[in-house]
Amino acid sequence: MSLLREQYIRNDIERERLKKLRELAMRFAKRAPKHDEEGSFPFDNFEDLRQGGYNGLTVPKSHGGEEISLYELVQVQECLGWGDGSTALGFGWHLGQLLYLRTSGKWPEPLFEELCRDVIQEGSLLNVFGSEAGTGSPSRGGKPATTAERITGGYRVNGRKTFSTLSPILDRFVVTATVTPEDTVSEFLVKRSEAVKVIETWNTMGMRSTGSHDVVLEEVFVPEEARIVTGSGTDDGSGWLLHIPACYAGIAMAARDFAVEFAGTYSPNSLPGPIGEVPTVRQLIGQMEAELRTARSVLYEAAAVWDSQPQLRPGLRPQLGLAKHVVTNRALQVVDLAMRIVGGTSLSKALPLERYARDIRAGLFNPPMDNMLLDQLAKEALGEFGGSSAL
């Protein structure tokens, strides 16, 4: 295993877990072109993950899971992203949500215990559907058009959610809704029924196999105990969102690996040896390494701080957001450099670089958005001087 792989592995438990996941990732990489071409959901990949017992990685040990740390979640996501970005991103939403529920205590214990039991025993998956066409990303604070009307014993939920990743495979999910007549926003755990319809709208340039279709809820009954009040629980700084940049770091590593192997083996008849011996190509490889190593150092440092200093978590959002910003933007650069190394053939669908280039751009549109993070950093900097820009 190369230094690039070993650098952030701390012990034998992590090494053995990643060795097994690497085998799965290699399997996913072989399936990825077909799923990408068809825009089909990779049920086969998720069945492999379920059979391997990985659905419960972030479930607490007290509930039968492995209770892995955020640092370990980053490792897992990076490894899976190397194999197939769509599978990694979708699986990361599940693992990340469970980590968040574990550390924040947001859900009532009986509801959380039931979820964990089904994850461990049945391999159930979970995601939260908050996006809507009329409100955009929930991270921007838009009020859901989806409504939850209070009725006897619970609520009647109606609405349509977009970007509903994992929708083809979920038997339950969480939706945000405006509660009437309270005019407040809450989350509701919805179980799949005939009143829930998945409309296959997901036909995108990249991340084509995440199953992020529209989900329509028509007169869906949700019992009182399945309401989760937004804002409840402990503020953990949303560290779980590092599953997103970790996925894109994995895609960038796959592009790097392909380009380096290509440079070391491709020998056109115009040269005495492989193109990896050409100084300009070596410069591109070095730049690619610099971008990737910088991105990963920021990513793993953020995860390590979040794990080791829980008292600081509420104030870590800027650092966590910075990790996402740095990783996704530098991952874009890595893939671009890899394509420059390989040349015009990198545009061919017969090679994975073309898919990596499309998938990697999706990172720009996952939360937190670059402009929001940069504004947050600016506010912190200006706040140090009482709002003045004077030095």
Side-chain angles (χ1 to χ4, degrees), residues 58-259:
T58 50
V59 170
K61 290 181 179 178
S62 59
H63 290 50
E66 290 193 35
E67 200 172 321
I68 65 170
S69 65
L70 179 59
Y71 188 102
E72 291 169 297
L73 174 59
V74 166
Q75 293 176 328
V76 169
Q77 283 296 100
E78 202 176 55
C79 184
L80 294 177
W82 181 93
D84 177 27
S86 289
T87 297
L89 189 63
F91 197 55
W93 283 111
H94 163 74
L95 292 180
Q97 287 288 344
L98 285 171
L99 175 63
Y100 171 59
L101 296 179
R102 185 185 92 206
T103 58
S104 69
K106 180 176 183 179
W107 281 22
E109 181 56 30
L111 196 63
F112 183 54
E113 184 177 357
E114 177 187 350
L115 170 66
C116 292
R117 182 181 65 246
D118 290 347
V119 169
I120 299 301
Q121 296 180 2
E122 302 174 17
S124 295
L125 299 167
L126 180 76
N127 199 6
V128 175
F129 299 158
S131 297
E132 297 180 359
T135 61
S137 171
S139 65
R140 296 192 182 275
K143 195 171 186 178
T146 298
T147 60
E149 178 188 2
R150 184 180 286 278
I151 58 175
T152 302
Y155 301 85
R156 183 185 294 117
V157 179
N158 288 277
R160 181 167 183 150
K161 296 296 185 179
T162 58
F163 295 99
S164 302
T165 301
L166 296 180
S167 58
I169 200 172
L170 297 181
D171 63 358
R172 76 199 70 194
F173 50 87
V174 174
V175 299
T176 54
T178 300
V179 184
T180 59
E182 298 175 16
D183 197 31
T184 58
V185 176
S186 277
E187 293 181 342
F188 297 85
L189 178 62
V190 175
K191 295 192 176 180
R192 200 153 190 161
S193 68
E194 293 182 358
V196 176
K197 296 180 175 61
V198 176
I199 311 298
E200 295 190 358
T201 53
W202 191 245
N203 185 18
T204 55
M205 178 181 80
M207 289 295 187
R208 289 175 49 77
S209 302
T210 59
S212 302
H213 303 298
D214 286 9
V215 171
V216 177
L217 303 101
E218 298 177 342
E219 306 290 299
V220 176
F221 174 73
V222 179
E224 181 69 43
E225 61 270 19
R227 177 183 179 181
I228 303 104
V229 179
T230 300
S232 59
T234 302
D235 182 3
D236 72 345
S238 297
W240 65 277
L241 284 173
L242 284 189
H243 82 86
I244 296 171
C247 167
Y248 293 103
I251 297 173
M253 290 176 71
R256 173 263 185 196
D257 289 353
F258 185 90

